[in-house]
Amino acid sequence: DPWEYGNSYDQTKYRHTLDNLPLEPIGKALELACAEGHFTLLLAEKVRQLTAVDISLTALERARRRCAAFTNIDFVRLDLAADHLPTGFDLVVCSEVLAYLKKESLDAAVATVAAAAKVGGYLLTVHGFDIVDDPSSTGFDWDGEFGGKAIGEAFARVDGLALVRELRTPLYAVQLWRRLAAGETKPTPEI
């Protein structure tokens, strides 16, 4: 466990993420940047079919071993910045990955992630706050060009996407978004 995903911060974040899944049953789900499968293991219990993707073949192999008891997971190598993202999912989970991108590619990447969910489908995003977004507030001091605040703002700019629910902690936000049908009214989000 080179990233120490068993720590209390990540375990609490995983619980918060699961607590904010859509209420209806989830058929097809996509987990972006599954890393070594710690969250994948928990998510697989909540969905009918899960596609877990990561850029690292080593991480995917470790995730495959960690989740060996599940038959509903497909593991796929995918580079979010360079590869075509599959579409048509009831749920797309995007956690702690977009902050690794360059700022000029954020809006395009967010639009691509949003398009992976089918109309009526959901995106569940989790990203840490970084002081680069707001030096006056609590946040991580990572080397990225932006953090969770900028990522949430980028999702809010996507046409046809509505925030359904948000859990905001001092260090990260869990946001549940929904792709709306044409002409559908945006709900008032629960914060």
Side-chain angles (χ1 to χ4, degrees), residues 158-173:
V158 174
D159 285 336
L161 195 62
L163 182 63
V164 175
R165 184 171 51 241
E166 177 178 358
L167 169 69
R168 198 176 305 143
T169 77
L171 294 176
Y172 59 88

Side-chain angles (χ1 to χ4, degrees), residues 137-155:
S137 67
T138 300
F140 294 101
D141 189 9
W142 290 326
D143 291 332
E145 296 179 22
F146 53 86
K149 182 175 184 265
I151 293 167
E153 291 167 352
F155 275 102

Side-chain angles (χ1 to χ4, degrees), residues 57-122:
L57 289 173
T58 301
L60 285 170
E61 184 51 39
R62 289 177 179 171
R64 186 177 283 111
R65 285 195 307 264
R66 176 168 280 108
C67 300
F70 289 91
T71 59
N72 65 330
I73 308 172
D74 294 318
F75 293 95
V76 179
R77 187 199 173 281
L78 187 136
D79 180 345
L80 181 59
D83 296 332
H84 173 74
L85 200 59
T87 60
F89 291 94
D90 300 303
L91 173 69
V92 176
V93 178
C94 182
S95 178
E96 303 287 358
V97 64
L98 296 176
Y100 292 102
L101 301 175
K102 294 291 183 191
K103 191 161 193 153
E104 62 269 10
S105 64
L106 177 61
D107 283 335
V110 164
T112 299
V113 170
K118 69 181 186 180
V119 172
Y122 293 89

Side-chain angles (χ1 to χ4, degrees), residues 130-135 140 142 144-147:
D130 193 310
I131 60 171
V132 72
D133 284 339
D134 182 358
F140 294 101
W142 290 326
E145 296 179 22
F146 53 86

